[in-house]
Amino acid sequence: MELKNLEVWFITGSQHLYGEAALQKIAANSRCVVEGLNASGRLPMRVVFKALVTTPQSILDVCREANASSRCAGLAFWMHTFSPAKMWIAGLTALQKPFVHLHTQFNRDLPWSTIDMDFMNLNQAAHGDREFGFICTRMRKPRKVIVGHWQDPEVLDRLAAWQRSAAGLQEIRSLKVARIGDNMRQVAVTEGDKVEAQMRLGVEVNGYGIGDVVRRIAEVSDADAESLAAEYGSLYALAPELRPGGNKLSALLCAARTELGLRHFLEEGGFKAFTDTFEDLHGLEQLPGVAVQRLMADGYGFGAEGDWKTAALGRVMKVMGEGLPGGTSFMEDYTYHLDAAAPLVLGAHMLEICPSLAAEKPSCEIHPLGIGGKADPVRLAFTAPAGPAVNVAVIDMGDRFRILVNEVDVVSPPQSLPKLPVARAFWRPRPDLKTAAACWIYAGGPHHTVLSQAVATEQIEDLAEMLGVECVKIDGRSATSETKNQLRWNEAYFMAR
Ligand code: MN
C-alpha cells in the first residue's frame, strides 16, 4: 500500500555555542544514528536525516518544508546538545505533521576511563531533551516520547509502531468513504457526525444510492464474471453446487459480477472504504458477501449497516498493519459461550469477514441468510487462527470521538461447528470476558469492531494521540472500577479542553 513511499524526517537540535567542530561532530553522529535506524531492519518506513538546526529560522523552515511534503509522514526530534527551546516555538506552532521525541544519546555507555568535559559538552541529550520536552508540554503538543539507546530493539520497535501510526494518520487525512445506502434503520451506534469526522479526523464520508453500484454491476461482461468465478474456483474450496455444472453456478456468477461492479465503483470514486446496508439492496440479487470479503482482503475498509466509522477505521488499520503477519477485518461480537470456567466470544457477521484472517484455504459456500429477503448469498467461510489480537472501535460521544481498544486472545474453537456457514473467530478478551465486556459497555463500545492480528495497541494509542482523540484501553490489567473512573475523568478533561 503506502509505507515504503513515506519518510520520517530526522531533525537534530543544537545551538552555535559549541563551535563549528562540535556541530560537525553532531551532524556526523546524527547521520550514523539514522543509518543505524534504517539498517536495523525493524522500521517499516525510511528515516531521512534532514537537518541539524541551530536557529529559530532554520527550525521554522524545516517544519514548513515538512508540512508541504507528501512523502514526510512525521518527524523525529533529538537534542544532541542543549537547544534553547524558545527557538522551537515558531516551528512547533507551524508544524502540522506528527512528531516523535527520540530521547537517546549517541554513546550507549559512559566512557569511564576517558570521559572529560569535552565529552560532557557534546553529549547532553539527558538535559537538552528535557528543555525540548518542556516546550512541547508547555505548548500542549501531542507527541510520542521514546527513551533509550537508538540500537535498543525495544526503542526501535516503539519507533516502528509510531511510524505505522503516522502512516495511518496520513491515510485517514485523505480517506474517502462511500456510504452506499444509509444507516440500518433505528441503529444508534453506527450514526455520527460526519462533518466533525472530516474536521477532526480528515476522513470524507459521502452517501451514494445503491443504484450507482447496481449500474456498474450491470455493465460487467459475462466473460469477466466467468473469469472471476473461475478464479474463485482456483483460490477457494468451492461447494459442489457452485462448481461448473452445479445447480447454483449462476449465484456464483452473480457474486463475481457484484464484486467487479463494486470494485469499479470504488476505483472510479477513489474510495478506500465503503459501507452497505441490507435494508437497501434494491436491484441486487444477493447481499454482497464474497465481494465484500475479497475487497477487504485487498485493503478496503468495510462497515456493514451503514457503519462508516468502522469502515474508515478498518482501512486505516489495514494501512498500519501493512506487511505484518496476521489479518485485519470488520468484526462483530456475535454470541457468547458463557461457561464460567472458559468463556468465549464468537465473533462473526452475516457474511462480511475478511479472509486475511484465514489461516487455511477458505471454503466458498452458498446458504440462505434468513434476513433481508434476498437470494442466497455466496460467502467465504473459515476460522481465524489462534493468537493475540486487538478489537478496536470508534464511537461518537456527541462532543468528541472515542477510540476503544480491547486486547484479546483468539483461540481455536474447542469443538467443531458443522452447521455454521460463516467466517468466524473465537476469542477470550483480556483481562477476562466479564471485566472486558463490562468496561466495553460502560465505555459505550459498539457491537462492530475491527479485529486485527497485525496491529498492536501501541499503534492505536499513538494514532489517537496524533488525532487528539480519546483512547480507552481494556487490557490484561484493566479493572471495571478503574475504567469507570477513567471514563469520568476523560469526560471532564475533554469538556475542559
Ligand atoms: Mn452488524
Side-chain angles (χ1 to χ4, degrees), residues 304-305 332 349 447-448:
E305 297 125 23
E332 180 168 306
H349 205 256
H447 53 293
H448 286 169

Side-chain angles (χ1 to χ4, degrees), residues 428-445:
R428 256 196 309 268
R430 297 181 196 169
D432 57 77
L433 191 150
K434 286 177 178 170
T435 305
C439 291
W440 189 270
I441 288 169
Y442 279 122

Side-chain angles (χ1 to χ4, degrees), residues 67-225:
N67 288 346
S69 166
S70 58
R71 294 182 71 87
C72 175
L75 302 91
F77 293 122
W78 173 41
M79 306 303 121
H80 192 302
T81 53
F82 204 80
S83 180
K86 287 201 283 186
M87 295 200 303
W88 286 84
I89 292 173
L92 291 176
T93 300
L95 186 62
Q96 294 162 341
K97 296 286 171 94
F99 68 91
V100 64
H101 181 186
L102 183 60
H103 183 43
T104 189
Q105 68 181 15
F106 185 67
N107 55 301
R108 193 194 71 172
D109 299 340
L110 279 178
W112 301 95
S113 63
T114 60
I115 189 167
D116 55 15
M117 281 316 290
D118 286 344
F119 182 94
M120 295 280 276
N121 285 334
L122 196 62
N123 296 281
Q124 301 182 338
H127 64 281
D129 270 332
R130 286 168 203 259
E131 167 75 355
F132 179 73
F134 164 73
I135 204 65
C136 295
T137 294
R138 175 69 179 77
M139 294 176 72
R140 276 73 172 174
K141 298 300 286 185
R143 81 280 195 190
K144 180 173 191 173
V145 180
I146 302 177
V147 181
H149 191 250
W150 49 278
Q151 289 170 318
D152 177 350
E154 200 229 326
V155 166
L156 290 159
D157 288 349
R158 296 200 65 207
L159 183 57
W162 177 85
Q163 288 189 342
R164 290 184 175 279
S165 309
L169 181 77
Q170 183 117 334
E171 180 64 21
I172 201 167
R173 293 280 192 234
S174 60
L175 180 58
K176 289 171 70 180
V177 180
R179 194 161 186 248
I180 302 163
D182 196 66
N183 209 45
M184 179 179 165
R185 281 186 279 279
Q186 311 275 24
V187 176
V189 76
T190 47
E191 295 279 13
D193 185 338
K194 298 193 280 293
V195 175
E196 182 67 18
Q198 192 167 342
M199 288 165 57
R200 164 66 62 181
L201 312 174
V203 59
E204 188 184 315
V205 184
N206 288 309
Y208 292 85
I210 186 71
D212 294 334
V213 177
V214 169
R215 183 165 64 79
R216 297 303 196 295
I217 293 171
E219 288 165 2
V220 173
S221 72
D222 290 346
D224 286 348

